[in-house]
Amino acid sequence: MMVEAGGLVQQRKDIMTIRHVNNKVRYVTKTIKKNRYKNRKESVVPRVPKVLQELFVSCREVFKGPGTVPPASDVKKLCSILDKMKPEHVGLSRNLEFFKATGPVKVTPRVTYTTIYQCAEFSLCIFFLPATAVIPLHNHPGMTVFSKLLLGKMHIKSYDWVDPVNSEDPMPPSQLRLARLNTDSVFTAPCDTSVLYPTTGGNIHQFTAITPCAVLDVLGPPYSKQDNRDCSYYKDIPYSAFSNGETTVSEEESDCFGWLEEIEVPENSQMDGIEYLGPQIIETSCL
């Protein structure tokens, strides 16, 4: 299957057009003022929307680095900002057909991502999922993650460890571990921001796109192999498939639990990184 990005969105008539071409989001300027000087033109560059700049400034204040979790008041603050985020704030349109298949679907389509901003304390990323694309079940060790579905319809399934003690330690791939189901639902944009924490809120989750989707993720702190925050992948097995001598789960509750087995990196976890050419954050001031 060959996938290309396609579509146009007019943000301001005759001023700026956003084109998604192959692996970049391009801002194409047009002549907006003519004068007596031949071939002279003025162009407009994308300005950072106030809500995007506000998100960046708040993240700088909220995230204090590895080993810290934002207090409830700061979580509420970031959620209130993200809940206001719209596709156009990062250069997208609700009507943009940003992924278009040019051939029959034979394999699961690849996910694309772009990074708006990243530092040691947090990162802002957008993930683009064509219809039927999957981000496999994976964890977020020691991280607090805010996810805002900007476009599309998506199924989210997530778990938390029943025993979170030493949950960040490496485990043998063959070892099963009991987890409690946190979320198993379909979400349609626009919807509220979801939040996961190092040991609660669905730290281990999977995204499956029902329609083409765009998700804005705020990760604090971001993944880092050198800081032991690498991503691990899992497959889930129904609780009823195995017995557990130490944990007693009633038959009525069994659907709320599952066994997770760590696996090698799945082939469909590979993503294509693209350059972010949307509205640029201003690092030195707040709008």
Side-chain angles (χ1 to χ4, degrees):
M1 174 181 174
M2 182 173 143
V3 178
E4 67 179 39
L8 293 174
V9 52
Q10 192 79 21
Q11 288 210 328
R12 292 179 59 186
K13 189 174 181 181
D14 295 329
I15 294 181
M16 181 179 69
T17 301
I18 301 174
R19 293 179 181 271
H20 287 243
V21 181
N22 295 327
N23 66 339
K24 290 188 178 182
V25 179
R26 303 185 188 275
Y27 287 78
V28 183
T29 56
K30 293 184 177 181
T31 301
I32 61 172
K33 182 179 179 182
K34 295 182 179 179
N35 53 43
R36 57 194 178 91
Y37 297 102
K38 187 177 181 180
N39 296 326
R40 181 175 178 177
K41 63 181 180 179
E42 296 179 10
S43 62
V44 174
V45 296
R47 294 189 59 186
V48 57
K50 183 176 181 181
V51 66
L52 179 58
Q53 184 68 21
E54 183 183 4
L55 175 63
F56 166 72
V57 172
S58 296
C59 285
R60 284 198 306 190
E61 298 170 350
V62 166
F63 292 108
K64 307 300 182 182
T68 63
V69 176
S73 58
D74 285 343
V75 170
K76 183 178 180 181
K77 178 181 179 180
L78 285 183
C79 282
S80 67
I81 297 171
L82 284 162
D83 285 344
K84 295 183 291 185
M85 294 288 294
K86 298 179 180 180
E88 52 265 34
H89 293 143
V90 288
L92 300 176
S93 165
R94 293 183 182 278
N95 300 318
L96 181 62
E97 191 178 349
F98 53 85
F99 283 105
K100 183 179 179 181
T102 58
V105 178
K106 296 182 179 180
V107 296
T108 303
R110 289 169 70 96
V111 176
T112 302
Y113 74 93
T114 189
T115 301
I116 300 175
Y117 179 85
Q118 180 165 327
C119 62
E121 287 74 34
F122 67 93
S123 65
L124 307 176
C125 303
I126 305 174
F127 294 89
F128 301 96
L129 291 80
T132 75
V134 177
I135 298 180
L137 199 62
H138 63 283
N139 69 343
H140 305 79
M143 300 160 65
T144 303
V145 181
F146 298 74
S147 295
K148 171 64 176 177
L149 182 61
L150 296 172
L151 287 166
K153 187 175 184 179
M154 172 182 288
H155 177 260
I156 299 177
K157 190 174 188 179
S158 67
Y159 293 90
D160 289 310
W161 298 121
V162 168
D163 178 11
V165 178
N166 296 324
S167 62
E168 298 173 24
D169 292 344
M171 298 180 63
S174 60
Q175 184 173 347
L176 297 178
R177 192 168 172 189
L178 187 63
R180 181 188 298 272
L181 184 66
N182 178 275
T183 303
D184 189 8
S185 302
V186 173
F187 296 84
T188 303
C191 55
D192 292 341
T193 302
S194 63
V195 187
L196 63 83
Y197 302 90
T199 58
T200 61
N203 184 276
I204 305 163
H205 69 197
Q206 173 176 294
F207 290 167
T208 304
I210 299 173
T211 68
C213 295
V215 184
L216 172 61
D217 263 11
V218 179
L219 295 83
Y223 285 108
S224 172
K225 287 186 179 181
Q226 63 183 17
D227 295 319
N228 199 30
R229 290 193 308 277
D230 198 6
C231 186
S232 298
Y233 292 89
Y234 303 87
K235 70 175 181 179
D236 55 344
I237 302 169
Y239 177 81
S240 58
F242 297 94
S243 62
N244 182 5
E246 299 179 357
T247 303
T248 301
V249 176
S250 67
E251 185 176 348
E252 292 77 14
E253 294 180 314
S254 62
D255 289 342
C256 298
F257 293 84
W259 300 101
L260 300 189
E261 179 181 3
E262 186 171 348
I263 61 175
E264 297 296 326
V265 179
E267 289 185 9
N268 64 337
S269 69
Q270 301 300 316
M271 301 182 185
D272 296 319
I274 62 175
E275 182 180 4
Y276 174 72
L277 297 179
Q280 301 297 308
I281 286 170
I282 301 173
E283 296 191 42
T284 56
S285 63
C286 179
L287 294 182

